[in-house]
Amino acid sequence: MIVQEIWDQFLHIAKEEAGSRVVETWFKAVSLVKWDPAKRIAYLQAPNKFVKDWITRNYLELIQLHLGRLLHTTGVTVSFAAESVHEKKVVSESTVVPATTVPSRSVPIRSSLVHANGHINRSYSFETFVVGPNNSLAYAAAQAVTERPGRVYNPLFLYGGSGLGKTHLMHAMGNEIKGRHKKASVLYQTADRFVNEFISAIRFDKIHKFQAKYKNVDVLLIDDIQFISNKDQTQEAFFHIFNTLYEGHKQIVFSSDTFPQNIEGIADRLKSRLAWGLVADLRVPTLETKIAILKKKAHIGNEPLSDEVAHFIANRVMANIRELEGALIRVMAFASLTQQKVTLELAEKVLADNRKKNNGYLDSNTVLKGLLKCYPYTFDQLKSKQRNKEISFVRQVAMFLIKELAGKSLRDIGEFLGGRNHATVMYAIDKIEQLMETDPEVRKRIKYIEREIHKLTSQ
Ligand code: ADP
Ligand code: MG
């Protein structure tokens, strides 16, 4: 078998195990140029030192393991063939026994950009969003924009504290625009990911592709724009994207935790553009709105909820809607766990110890503890490099749930789960998000795990 085929097979396996994003970003940039069976050395060629170092740091074990399997041996050493001047020579030797089928072409050096499109979450719609005096301006503006994207409020800037419905509204806009304007291309992205994607574009000399991706949309939704703070080069790139879209009457929507002028570490010219259109805030909901939200959520979940209990929970939770939802789920989970009806007494008991949560988010350890109740693995195994199909899946679910329930950054999640890099985390979250939409079994299982996690916080 020629080395190219071996490498292709390896790419296939790596895709299964590390995800296609990792393969697209890193492994496809690399080629296997020679295999020395006597010394058991696999010679790889990387396009630059950066890729070489990254792979060595993060994926060496994976390569050794699977190349070993494919080559029917163990103890494979990986060596990077450094200079491309030797390329021809190396290629001419690049065979695994039998040594007859030598590829005559030179080694293709491919690289590609991370395709990090955030998806639009279908369950976040205008219908499931409860309007109150705290968010009516933002809601009305969001609706107006979906009717005539790019024409009324451009950009639309939504700001407000954590858990007050910014992300929900942005997805609702995305869904609505896709429904109304079939041909419109809508791109939702968090600024966090935008930054990562930009950095990866620089590494691979794919800036044009990156710019084109963002400049060719009809609607661009950038969530949590404050994460672009102090990233000067990303801001510069974003500035150009903004100008192009704006001049083309394309709709731009931002969300942030503060008013544009108060975001620190953003260049003035960008700051002023953020506020060019309409700036609408989302505030803490009133008691009535909180009750309405609880009722709606209970209704969506097909759970009966009396006025009395809704009132009690709404009064109990001050900070934000994420926390409000968390409290509702805890009450419901406890009721189902103990097979009791949801009464005022029960809600009082469950929420008696309403420990101050971090903006309604749980901590990562609690999330993991609940998850591990559902699977026969230990935390150490999840952190380890073990990669059979099930443990990889559980690890991916862990990443997804920590993002959802603990609200951690990609980087923090990677650190927490054994020092994995953010691209792996991003891939995992995307994958589970997609499965949640397409695979009812996975959805059911994850909902079940979520309940287990919330039970821990209600005991
Ligand atoms: P943010 O992005 O502002 O931090 P999210 O949009 O993620 O907040 O909202 C947190 C949770 O609260 C989500 O589950 C969302 O569905 C819910 N939520 C927020 N505002 C509302 C609302 N007005 N009606 C219904 N649900 C809401
Ligand atoms: Mg958000």
Side-chain angles (χ1 to χ4, degrees), residues 133-135 159-160 164 281-286 321:
N134 59 310
N135 58 25
Y159 80 95
L164 295 180
D281 65 344
L282 291 105
R283 292 188 303 268
V284 175
T286 59
I321 299 165

Side-chain angles (χ1 to χ4, degrees), residues 191-337:
D192 186 17
R193 288 185 175 209
F194 183 87
V195 171
N196 284 329
E197 212 184 341
F198 175 70
I199 293 168
S200 150
I202 295 184
R203 282 170 190 167
F204 288 100
D205 264 350
K206 296 276 178 175
I207 287 295
H208 286 301
K209 204 169 163 188
F210 173 83
Q211 297 267 8
K213 170 179 164 182
Y214 283 93
K215 286 180 175 175
N216 287 325
V217 297
D218 300 308
V219 179
L220 179 62
L221 306 150
I222 299 278
D223 207 353
D224 292 320
I225 187 71
Q226 72 273 13
F227 289 131
I228 207 173
S229 291
N230 301 320
K231 307 279 192 307
D232 295 345
Q233 235 184 319
T234 313
Q235 286 180 27
E236 175 77 25
F238 187 72
F239 182 73
H240 293 294
I241 292 169
F242 180 98
N243 290 342
T244 306
L245 292 178
Y246 186 82
E247 280 156 23
H249 296 286
K250 308 295 186 190
Q251 180 68 46
I252 311 161
V253 182
F254 298 107
S255 85
S256 168
D257 58 353
T258 49
F259 189 75
Q261 293 308 333
N262 294 344
I263 308 177
E264 281 172 21
I266 289 199
D268 286 343
R269 58 179 188 166
L270 187 52
K271 234 185 225 180
S272 73
R273 276 169 175 72
L274 296 179
W276 265 359
L278 179 74
V279 177
D281 65 344
L282 291 105
R283 292 188 303 268
V284 175
T286 59
L287 182 66
E288 292 80 358
T289 309
K290 284 197 276 186
I291 293 172
I293 291 171
L294 287 170
K295 291 233 145 198
K296 184 141 215 156
K297 300 271 173 197
H299 181 75
I300 293 170
N302 242 334
E303 315 258 11
L305 180 71
S306 69
D307 289 349
E308 191 185 36
V309 176
H311 198 275
F312 172 77
I313 300 176
N315 247 325
R316 194 73 194 212
V317 178
M318 292 300 167
N320 69 47
I321 299 165
R322 185 177 297 112
E323 193 168 347
L324 191 69
E325 252 188 304
L328 176 69
I329 297 172
R330 275 156 64 202
V331 170
M332 294 297 180
F334 186 79
S336 90
L337 173 74

Side-chain angles (χ1 to χ4, degrees), residues 397-409:
V397 172
M399 293 173 180
F400 169 79
L401 287 172
I402 293 172
K403 180 85 213 169
E404 286 287 298
L405 303 175
K408 296 288 183 213
S409 72

